[in-house]
Amino acid sequence: MTINLPIRPRSAFDDLGLAGTIDELVLQTQTLYLEDGIPWVIGYSGGKDSTAVLQLVWMAIAALKPEQRTKQVHVISTDTLVENPIVAAWVTHSLETIRAAATQQGLPIEPHRLTPAVADTFWVNLAGRGYPAPRPKFRWCTERLKIKPSNTFIINMVKSHGEAILVLGTRKAESSGRSHRMVELESRRVRDLLSPNDSLPNCLVYSPVENWSNDDVWTFLMQTKNPWGYSNKELLTMYQGASSDGECPLVVDSTTPSCGDSRFGCWTCTLVDKDKSMSAMIQNDEEKEWMLPLLELRNELDVADDRHLRDFRRMNGSVQLFHDRTIPGPYTQESRERWVRKLLDAQTWIRANGPDIVQSLELVTLPELEEIRRLWVVEKHEFEDNLPAIYRDATGEEYPGRPLDEHLPLGPETVAILQDVVGDDRLHFELVRELLDIEQRHRSQARRAGLFESLTKAMRRGFYDDVDDAMKRANQRRDAIERPDDSDSPDDLDIAAGYVRPVPTGVEA
């Protein structure tokens, strides 16, 4: 009888054992640290891989003599402001603990919590500008929320010191694509153990656990004491029932997997079919049922066909066709106001019904609300200024933002009259509102440069009768573009729109 014994996957600890492998890595890290004065930047997400890397670096530096600890080590963690609240709280507290422990132990390790600029945050772009919820073919979030904050920090470090060394928890076992990419970069190494970074000039990458498996990472974390006093067993508890990759890595380029495929990511993420992590937390722990409004809001964002929530015009006001249907543009005013209302409703409910740790939870910050309000009133000409009323209705409190500096062309009563005059003709209302706003903003200028250009853009955006009229005119424009140059009778509409240029009699084209 043949007995098939399972083959144990090869471990990074097979040759030297756990202790021997760690000693070798610590010595290797110390050697790299002492070679030059180039600052180190460690990407830390609070997950298993980045925790393992930080522990290794910490152990290496702590074992050096105090006079050898001359080079600064920066630990950066990017908070997208829409992280899973449980994980966000874990990472924030972890950074505070790291700072205190490093100071106490005399180590040159400094943590940094990075956040996207207000203009780049999730809710400013979705509810303010009207960007639709991210999709695989329109993944606008990763660049703004993750790549830009970390890259800005690293680039500033390079400007100050000429170079920087990134210490990352990337591993070849994460995926075949990651393995191929890391092997390719290895072939271009200009120094031992340091790979180049294509997206960040003058940056080299050190990946001490690149050959470790998932099991190797957990073996190390469970059998090695966390040097800054955090509990790795609690970290394991957070991972139970999770997918194999399990964390949001430090994203510094578009080749790094986003949180969409990871265990812990943004609670608003619509790049996956279902937020399994939050669903599992709610299902398995009654104390986490307060996150249910977040899950419901996330699922409302993730609808297969959201045309009913979006304008038929693109962001610049143009109407484009695809398979004889308009390509939908940004969320409508009604939809954007609805997202803000639902977000504030969820925040209010969680504060009232959640545990003590979420009594001051901010799903959207005041600077974000101020930027959303500015975008609505100034850039989208929605001078009804509805955000303060939405905030008051959702929270029961007065809006804490500052008064608008902009002088609104119409008061609430006049806006109501305008709405009554135009009735259900929303396009007509938006056009008149925008024209009035443009005129008001140019009235006080000594030189009204750009007035006619702004008025022309407004007219082109809003002169349609309805969606059917917009589609008809889009088809006419498409036909004009496809019409042969020697067409005998160009349409007047084509000439006015600039798609056809009439040639005077007797002049060769």
Side-chain angles (χ1 to χ4, degrees), residues 257-503:
S258 75
C259 299
D261 296 325
S262 299
R263 167 63 168 83
F264 301 131
C266 303
W267 67 266
T268 56
C269 184
T270 51
L271 296 172
V272 291
D273 294 334
K274 184 180 180 182
D275 189 334
K276 297 179 181 179
S277 62
M278 186 173 291
S279 298
M281 287 181 178
I282 295 172
Q283 183 176 355
N284 299 331
D285 190 345
E286 291 184 358
E287 295 183 357
K288 294 184 175 63
E289 289 185 353
W290 58 266
M291 291 194 294
L292 189 59
L294 305 186
L295 186 62
E296 292 175 347
L297 179 53
R298 180 263 167 207
N299 291 339
E300 285 192 45
L301 287 169
D302 188 20
V303 293
D305 188 354
D306 59 358
R307 287 176 174 271
H308 62 290
L309 302 174
R310 297 165 62 181
D311 200 327
F312 65 88
R313 298 161 294 188
R314 307 305 301 274
M315 190 73 76
N316 61 4
S318 65
V319 177
Q320 298 179 1
L321 300 178
F322 183 72
H323 292 319
D324 295 325
R325 298 182 70 187
T326 59
I327 301 175
Y331 286 127
T332 62
Q333 178 181 351
E334 180 183 2
S335 298
R336 287 183 278 106
E337 292 179 354
R338 178 173 172 268
W339 292 132
V340 172
R341 183 176 292 105
K342 283 186 168 292
L343 180 63
L344 292 172
D345 283 341
Q347 176 178 285
T348 302
W349 189 92
I350 290 172
R351 288 182 176 183
N353 298 279
D356 293 340
I357 60 173
V358 294
Q359 294 301 306
S360 59
L361 177 69
E362 275 191 330
L363 298 181
V364 58
T365 65
L366 179 58
E368 288 179 281
L369 290 173
E370 290 281 74
E371 178 63 9
I372 291 171
R373 185 186 186 191
R374 187 195 68 82
L375 287 168
W376 287 2
V377 174
V378 178
E379 296 194 10
K380 295 184 178 295
H381 311 284
E382 296 165 1
F383 48 72
E384 302 97 303
D385 192 20
N386 288 332
L387 194 142
I390 293 173
Y391 185 93
R392 183 170 54 253
D393 293 342
T395 66
E397 302 172 358
E398 290 299 320
Y399 179 66
R402 297 172 299 178
L404 280 177
D405 294 333
E406 300 291 328
H407 177 64
L408 303 182
L410 298 179
E413 298 81 4
T414 312
V415 170
I417 294 173
L418 176 60
Q419 289 175 327
D420 289 339
V421 170
V422 300
D424 295 331
D425 192 344
R426 183 67 186 178
L427 291 179
H428 188 191
F429 170 76
E430 291 178 355
L431 174 59
V432 174
R433 181 182 64 183
E434 184 170 352
L435 292 175
L436 288 171
D437 197 23
I438 292 171
E439 189 277 335
Q440 176 68 33
R441 295 183 193 283
H442 284 80
R443 175 181 295 178
S444 59
Q445 297 179 0
R447 182 173 177 269
R448 302 183 181 184
L451 171 60
F452 291 110
E453 180 182 356
S454 298
L455 292 174
T456 300
K457 287 182 178 179
M459 292 297 295
R460 286 181 174 176
R461 174 181 172 82
F463 80 106
Y464 306 108
D465 293 334
D466 49 32
V467 178
D468 293 336
D469 181 45
M471 289 185 62
K472 175 184 176 182
R473 295 180 185 275
N475 278 306
Q476 289 175 330
R477 288 193 292 270
R478 181 185 59 189
D479 294 341
I481 294 173
E482 296 175 352
R483 185 177 299 138
D485 292 338
D486 59 354
S487 175
D488 294 333
S489 54
D491 188 271
D492 292 338
L493 178 64
D494 302 338
I495 298 174
Y499 291 100
V500 175
R501 182 168 58 89
V503 180

Side-chain angles (χ1 to χ4, degrees), residues 21 29 49 53 71 104 145 229 279 285 391 400 417 457 459 502:
T21 302
T29 303
D49 295 338
V53 167
K71 186 161 65 176
Q104 182 182 13
L145 304 186
S279 298
D285 190 345
Y391 185 93
I417 294 173
K457 287 182 178 179
M459 292 297 295

